[in-house]
């Protein structure tokens, strides 16, 4: 990330952004741009977990985590703040890459480029506030990093070549009239 982003993350605040997963059915819509539920109970998180192949964090999983690692689970896991998981950085001492999709914010939210980038800084602060290992966590802005790193763009192209149109429509809820820029 740029020095400007590094300077801004020192002023930590906690906000949230819609889940980048997309589920649309008769009862609810959950995608990167909106969260709507017709149910009085709100969003059915079990549907999200099933749809996106993550695992519910229940007491059995927390107990197993502690037994296998010899460490108590992170306090935000124990308190139920996070309800689903796919990876654990601290105990397994692994690197983490977090892509900030400010380009999507710009394309889909009717925002100016500068506002989309400002929101990226705020979201990065939220992530950093969770306590990831700064030496093993790479957070980058699409708008700031992709254009300056040809090797990264080549990797993106390899991934894009493996993803079908139907997969993109299913994940993000795109329709036939949506802007082509978000599919690339």
């Amino acid at each position: 990330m740029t020095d400007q982003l590094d300077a801004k993350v020192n002023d930590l605040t906690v906000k949230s952004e819609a889940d980048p997963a997309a589920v649309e059915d008769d009862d609810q819509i959950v995608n990167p741009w909106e969260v709507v539920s017709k149910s009085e109970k709100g969003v059915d998180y079990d549907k999200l977990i099933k749809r996106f192949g993550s695992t519910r964090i229940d007491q059995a999983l927390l107990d197993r985590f502690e037994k296998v690692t010899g460490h108590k689970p992170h306090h935000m896991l124990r308190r139920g703040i996070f309800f689903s998981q796919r990876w654990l950085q601290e105990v397994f001492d692994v690197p983490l890459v977090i892509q900030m999709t400010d380009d999507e914010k710009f394309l889909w939210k009717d925002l100016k480029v500068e506002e989309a980038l400002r929101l990226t800084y705020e979201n990065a602060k939220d992530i950093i506030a969770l306590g990831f290992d700064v030496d093993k966590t790479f957070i980058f802005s699409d708008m700031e990093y992709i254009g300056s790193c040809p090797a990264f763009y080549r990797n993106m192209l390899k991934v894009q070549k493996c993803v079908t149109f139907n997969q993109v429509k299913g994940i993000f809820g795109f329709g036939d009239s949506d802007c082509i820029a978000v599919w690339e």
Side-chain angles (χ1 to χ4, degrees), residues 3 11 14 21 52 111 140 149:
D3 291 338
D11 179 26
V14 177
F52 297 103
L111 299 174
F140 70 93
C149 186

Side-chain angles (χ1 to χ4, degrees), residues 117-130:
L117 194 56
R118 186 192 70 75
L119 291 170
T120 293
Y121 296 146
E122 295 300 317
N123 293 150
K125 289 189 253 182
D126 298 340
I127 292 166
I128 292 166
L130 294 174

Side-chain angles (χ1 to χ4, degrees), residues 152-171:
F152 185 77
Y153 183 63
R154 287 190 294 272
N155 282 334
M156 286 178 53
L157 290 173
K158 291 175 186 176
V159 171
Q160 289 173 349
K161 193 170 188 176
C162 297
V163 179
T164 69
F165 175 71
N166 283 336
Q167 288 172 322
V168 172
K169 285 178 70 173
I171 292 169

Side-chain angles (χ1 to χ4, degrees), residues 30-91:
V30 178
N31 62 44
W33 309 280
E34 63 184 328
V35 176
V36 177
S37 175
K38 293 179 184 175
S39 168
E40 289 182 17
K41 294 180 181 180
V43 172
D44 184 344
Y45 290 101
D46 289 325
K47 283 184 182 180
L48 293 177
I49 289 169
K50 183 178 178 184
R51 167 83 182 209
F52 297 103
S54 63
T55 304
R56 179 169 284 286
I57 299 173
D58 58 12
Q59 190 57 49
L61 182 62
L62 295 174
D63 293 343
R64 182 174 174 227
F65 176 85
E66 187 168 357
K67 181 179 178 183
V68 169
T69 66
H71 296 273
K72 282 191 172 277
H74 191 277
H75 67 277
M76 290 191 181
L77 296 173
R78 294 192 313 263
R79 293 179 185 169
I81 293 170
F82 298 109
F83 65 89
S84 178
Q85 59 84 24
R86 286 189 179 186
W87 53 271
L88 297 167
Q89 181 185 35
E90 184 176 324
V91 170

Side-chain angles (χ1 to χ4, degrees), residues 15-26:
K15 295 177 180 66
S16 66
E17 180 180 14
D19 187 338
V23 170
E24 295 191 27
D25 59 29
D26 292 338

